Amino acid sequence: MTTAPKPPASNDPTTIGHGPPTPSASDIPLAVLEKVNVGYESTVALQDVTLEVCQGEFIGIVGPSGSGKTTLLRALLGQVRRFSGHLDLFPRPGRDEVRVGYVPQVDMVDWNFPITVEQVVMLGRWREIGWRPWSSRRDKQLMHELLDRLSIGHLAKRHIRKLSGGQQQRTFLARALIGDPDLLLLDEPTSGVDIKTRHEVMHLLGELNRAGTTIIMTTHDLNAVATHLPRLICVGEGQVVADGSPQDILTPEVLRRTYGAEMLVMRRGRAIYVVEHLGDASEAVGAEVELFLETSSGAAVDHAEAGGDGS
């Protein structure tokens, strides 16, 4: 019987907040990509991708707009054309397939479509409902339990157009979770929301991950999001540039190869802060560096000169 994922208590001291959470991933593969080339119609958008995703991982995909981040998610969903390579998904015991939940970018949703929160969430029960024109009592019970756990139970009858950004994200997260996914994919889940909502979304995802859900998300936010994830995949110009922990990935050299621009990287212990390296004449960057150094005694500042390895 399918049950809604139940996150641990919100006062868990290991909650995402300062530094990467303690990795809880296993060594059991969930998805393996070998030399995969995918794209749209006759155009390759992402090439020569070789990756392994294990059960319980929490992975962030970073890179500039148009680099192939969303295409990588769609490749795992089977929604783009695969020209070559191998992509294998490994179901957990007792299942015939890997269940994948997907939360799209909010700007991809038609918010004027006449549908309520509970109706959106029930779309995620398509495997169980099948061709039935109605939801069962069990379906509705599961939906309400999940909405309550995501703190939007009081919004079940509300039209999605009348939701805040954070409520919209939670609604589509509920739609993905009600199908009891083995793998949860999120495309820019913190884009366009305020700081409080961003923190709440990341807190919730951290709880779900510790409860056993494998998560892969794209993000443009290197400091507030990417630095707090156990593993990052950098995508630039249609290929994977680097793959590893934030400590290994967030370096001037890797960021230059990913974004095609110089970046300034400041460190203190496990804390990492990235700013654009605009040169010594930039008052804005100078102020950020000064503030970081004042509040982070002993911090190291790395920057890469053109053609150099950083210092």
Side-chain angles (χ1 to χ4, degrees), residues 23-69:
S24 58
S26 70
D27 294 327
I28 303 174
L30 181 65
V32 176
L33 296 79
E34 296 184 36
K35 298 186 180 300
V36 169
N37 291 274
V38 294
Y40 308 90
E41 297 182 351
S42 59
T43 303
V44 175
L46 199 58
Q47 58 184 340
D48 199 27
V49 177
T50 297
L51 294 171
E52 180 176 281
V53 178
C54 290
Q55 294 179 14
E57 285 202 272
F58 195 157
I59 302 172
I61 304 174
V62 300
S65 298
S67 60
K69 301 187 301 297

Side-chain angles (χ1 to χ4, degrees), residues 5 92 95 99-101 176-184 213-214:
R92 70 191 192 194
R95 286 192 170 173
R99 292 192 175 190
V100 182
L177 292 177
I178 201 169
D180 191 20
D182 304 299
L183 175 62
L184 179 60
T213 304
T214 305

Side-chain angles (χ1 to χ4, degrees), residues 173-249:
L173 181 58
R175 185 191 68 167
L177 292 177
I178 201 169
D180 191 20
D182 304 299
L183 175 62
L184 179 60
L185 306 177
L186 305 101
D187 201 357
E188 298 285 350
T190 60
S191 177
V193 299
D194 58 32
I195 294 175
K196 179 177 182 293
T197 300
R198 180 184 65 203
H199 177 78
E200 290 174 348
V201 169
M202 293 305 299
H203 180 97
L204 175 60
L205 294 179
E207 290 179 337
L208 291 169
N209 178 245
R210 282 185 289 277
T213 304
T214 305
I215 300 175
I216 303 177
M217 61 174 285
T218 66
T219 181
H220 280 291
D221 196 332
L222 293 177
N223 293 309
V225 177
T227 57
H228 303 299
L229 301 179
R231 177 182 173 189
L232 297 179
I233 297 172
C234 292
V235 179
E237 297 185 348
Q239 56 187 324
V240 173
V241 174
D243 179 1
S245 70
Q247 291 288 337
D248 296 330
I249 295 304

